[in-house]
Each structure stands twice: as C-alpha cells, then as structure tokens.
Amino acid sequence: MTNEIDAIKYVSKIIIICKKQYVFSIKKSPLRPFKDKRLEFFGGNVDQGETPFEGLIRELQEEEMTGILAEKAKALKPEPLKSFEVDGKIQCIYQMEITTDEYPKLKAHPDESYGIRSLPQKIFELPRTIDLELFTPKTIKIFQNMGLI
C-alpha cells in the first residue's frame, strides 16, 4: 500500500532567461500532437527518490547536451520561485539567467527536442501579440499560475 505522500507526483521546470528573453525547448513528441513542435520550459517529472532539484538537474542533463544548463543550475542552486498543482502534479518552478555567450552554445538532445528557441519577455505585455498555440498546454498553465497571462 502506498502512502499519500508517495502518491504525489512532482514536476520540476526552470524558466531560463537570456537578456530579457525566455529560452524554451521545442518539444519532440510525435505521438502527442498537443506537445509536438511546441515550446516548453526545460525540466520534467521528478523520479521516485529524487528531490525536485535533483530531478531538475537530471532533466537538464537529459534535455541539453553540452551540460551548460545543468552545471549552471548546480552551481547556482536556485530556490523554487513557486509551486502549484497542474493536471494532478505539483509543479516546482525555478528560474535562472544565462549569458549571451552561453545561449548560442546550448544544444538540445535530439531525442527530446527539435531545438531551442527564445522569445522576448515582453510577449505577454498587453496588447498580447503572441499566439498561445506555440506552447504546450502545460506551459500555458504554468504561465497562468505565474501570473504571466
């Protein structure tokens, strides 16, 4: 029998900012059209036995091949900005800035992503000009919970 705490599922995501731009993964998920080729923050499910931060580091290592994001997150040890429930899972949201020298060196893992894309932070200012269809449904819910849209 599983106790209630063990049954809670966690997801760790990180908002990466580079010179007033959000940095996203272009998700590769051909069997899930609602995610495929849409933008999503880096991160993912936390495995059993991991803390949310350990899960974030593992996900960064899996999703970004140079190790720049994982190593920087390890060194900075950011605290979660916010935690909230989306689709029955607790989302632990972190944030980190990278430099304009680091950004062009990032390389998405081809099994996880079609690439990396950045968009200006001001995309959410009114009047909003961004098409929300660019993002995965979960990313839109994170934006809503963070008060960005």
Side-chain angles (χ1 to χ4, degrees), residues 7-12 44-46 83-92 138:
I8 296 172
K9 300 293 182 190
Y10 289 88
V11 173
S12 289
N45 290 318
V46 175
S83 295
F84 46 83
E85 186 177 329
V86 171
D87 299 333
K89 294 183 180 184
I90 304 297
Q91 310 288 312
C92 298
K138 186 182 293 183

Side-chain angles (χ1 to χ4, degrees), residues 2-142:
T2 313
N3 71 36
E4 200 170 327
I5 292 176
D6 291 338
I8 296 172
K9 300 293 182 190
Y10 289 88
V11 173
S12 289
K13 293 284 184 175
I14 190 161
I15 298 171
I16 298 173
I17 299 171
C18 179
K19 199 172 182 181
K20 297 185 181 182
Q21 301 236 351
Y22 292 117
V23 178
F24 298 95
S25 172
I26 306 168
K27 292 311 289 180
K28 186 174 189 176
S29 191
L31 299 179
R32 296 187 205 155
F34 64 93
K35 284 180 78 170
D36 194 46
K37 299 180 184 168
R38 295 199 183 180
L39 303 179
E40 188 169 83
F41 291 119
F42 286 86
N45 290 318
V46 175
D47 290 343
Q48 188 171 1
E50 289 180 324
T51 66
F53 185 71
E54 290 167 343
L56 176 66
I57 297 301
R58 178 187 47 73
E59 285 287 339
L60 290 173
Q61 290 167 337
E62 291 173 4
E63 293 179 11
E64 196 279 310
M65 294 175 60
T66 68
I68 291 170
L69 296 180
E71 291 305 314
K72 189 157 195 171
K74 274 189 217 176
L76 293 175
K77 297 179 184 159
E79 292 293 321
L81 290 177
K82 200 169 184 182
S83 295
F84 46 83
E85 186 177 329
V86 171
D87 299 333
K89 294 183 180 184
I90 304 297
Q91 310 288 312
C92 298
I93 309 298
Y94 297 82
Q95 183 173 307
M96 167 176 84
E97 289 197 29
I98 61 172
T99 67
T100 54
D101 290 335
E102 292 167 323
Y103 177 75
K105 295 175 186 173
L106 299 178
K107 186 172 180 182
H109 193 290
D111 291 343
E112 298 275 339
S113 175
Y114 294 106
I116 295 170
R117 181 173 178 193
S118 63
L119 292 171
Q121 286 180 297
K122 65 182 181 177
I123 59 175
F124 298 112
E125 293 175 5
L126 295 175
R128 189 178 319 122
T129 57
I130 191 71
D131 180 3
L132 293 180
E133 291 294 316
L134 288 172
F135 304 98
T136 64
K138 186 182 293 183
T139 302
I140 293 169
K141 290 176 184 177
I142 290 171

